[in-house]
Amino acid sequence: GLLLYLRSTQSGFCFDDHLAIVSNRDVIAWDQTSTAALWHDFWGRDLNAENSHKSWRPLTILSFQLNHMAFGLEPAPYHATNAVL
């Protein structure tokens, strides 16, 4: 099954990847000393905000942050991480 998903490493970001990763300040402007992302939803909005989706996924955001620290906005490592997980 893993081999099927590894083909995704050849693709760019798509669909909600742009909101969840590329333009999410909790991912691209992450400060390792900050815990702000723990109080934000999946899209980087304050959980208490009216327009928040209320989808709290801190481990997913952490994996995005670590990918960004190591590889920037290169899509292949994000897809590879998802395939392995």
Side-chain angles (χ1 to χ4, degrees), residues 39-41 44-54:
W39 309 109
H40 294 166
D41 66 15
R45 295 183 190 105
D46 186 301
L47 282 167
N48 294 317
E50 187 175 315
N51 66 343
S52 171
H53 191 268
K54 310 291 191 238

Side-chain angles (χ1 to χ4, degrees), residues 39-73:
W39 309 109
H40 294 166
D41 66 15
F42 181 70
W43 312 107
R45 295 183 190 105
D46 186 301
L47 282 167
N48 294 317
E50 187 175 315
N51 66 343
S52 171
H53 191 268
K54 310 291 191 238
S55 57
W56 190 66
R57 304 176 199 171
L59 295 179
T60 302
I61 296 301
L62 177 61
S63 77
F64 293 164
Q65 291 167 333
L66 295 174
N67 267 304
H68 188 266
M69 276 186 10
F71 306 105
L73 289 174

